[in-house]
Amino acid sequence: MKRCLFLSCKAGHAPSALVSGPWAGRVDFVDQRRFPDLDLGGHGAIVLSMLTDQASLSRHADKLDAFLDGGGTVVVNGHVAYPLVSGLQPFMPQTGHGVEPLRVSRLGDHPVYAGVADDDLTFRRGVAGFYGRGHNPPPNGAVALNGLGPDRVALDWEWRRPGGGIVFMHCGLDLWAYANDPTSAARMAPQLMDWLFATSNGAS
């Protein structure tokens, strides 16, 4: 059974939501500085935090591309500033004032967002903007999952690349940061992990 690799931005960092779940023993938390020398053969998914050192990791984009070309899944949280994998475009901040530019709306069904209410993504502790304040434009062929603002630009999307592999993009706060929220947003972290292990082991 394939394992999941979480690239940590600092040694010993492991989000509690990913340590305590039923998948805990199947997730490897590795300092991203070790990535160039890692053998990815036993892994089906790689998870990147919004805190990832993108400048450093982008120097090994060819390795991430090869992982995807081999059928792997890469989850990217945060604002893309460097070309981590081929086809990603830089972050575009949202414009406008008030709540409406930050309002999240569902554009497509996905297991990660099953049962998650739009308002629980738009607002956190009564404040809008935690979930996302801009977007990384999706490549051709990507499927938009959640939109942002009146134009519903793709804040979350899934891209099944023509050569194999899947990129799951969330342009904002790490999804597992919501794991202890008293709202439906808490469903995202466990559902993300369930989906990752399903896709990396042959399920659709």
Side-chain angles (χ1 to χ4, degrees), residues 42-89:
H43 295 95
I46 297 174
V47 178
L48 306 179
S49 165
M50 63 178 291
L51 301 176
T52 298
D53 181 349
Q54 294 186 20
S56 173
L57 191 59
S58 67
R59 293 196 286 270
H60 308 286
D62 56 342
K63 186 169 182 175
L64 286 171
D65 276 337
F67 178 77
L68 286 164
D69 290 342
T73 298
V74 175
V75 174
V76 183
N77 290 270
H79 306 162
V80 172
Y82 292 85
L84 298 175
V85 301
S86 299
L88 296 190
Q89 300 182 50

Side-chain angles (χ1 to χ4, degrees), residues 3-6 17-19 21-24 26-29 45 47 75 111-112 175-176 187-201:
R3 299 178 64 80
C4 178
L5 173 65
F6 180 96
L18 307 187
V19 171
W23 45 80
R26 299 156 61 194
V27 182
D28 297 318
F29 298 91
V47 178
V75 174
V112 172
L175 293 181
W176 49 88
R187 299 171 63 99
M188 292 187 294
Q191 290 178 172
L192 171 68
M193 300 307 293
D194 286 343
W195 174 73
L196 280 178
F197 283 112
T199 56
S200 65
N201 287 288

Side-chain angles (χ1 to χ4, degrees), residues 5 10 17-18 20 51 59 92 100 107 116 134 143 157 184:
L5 173 65
K10 58 182 179 180
L18 307 187
S20 57
L51 301 176
R59 293 196 286 270
M92 296 181 64
E100 289 311 309
L107 302 179
V116 179
V143 176
W157 45 264
S184 65

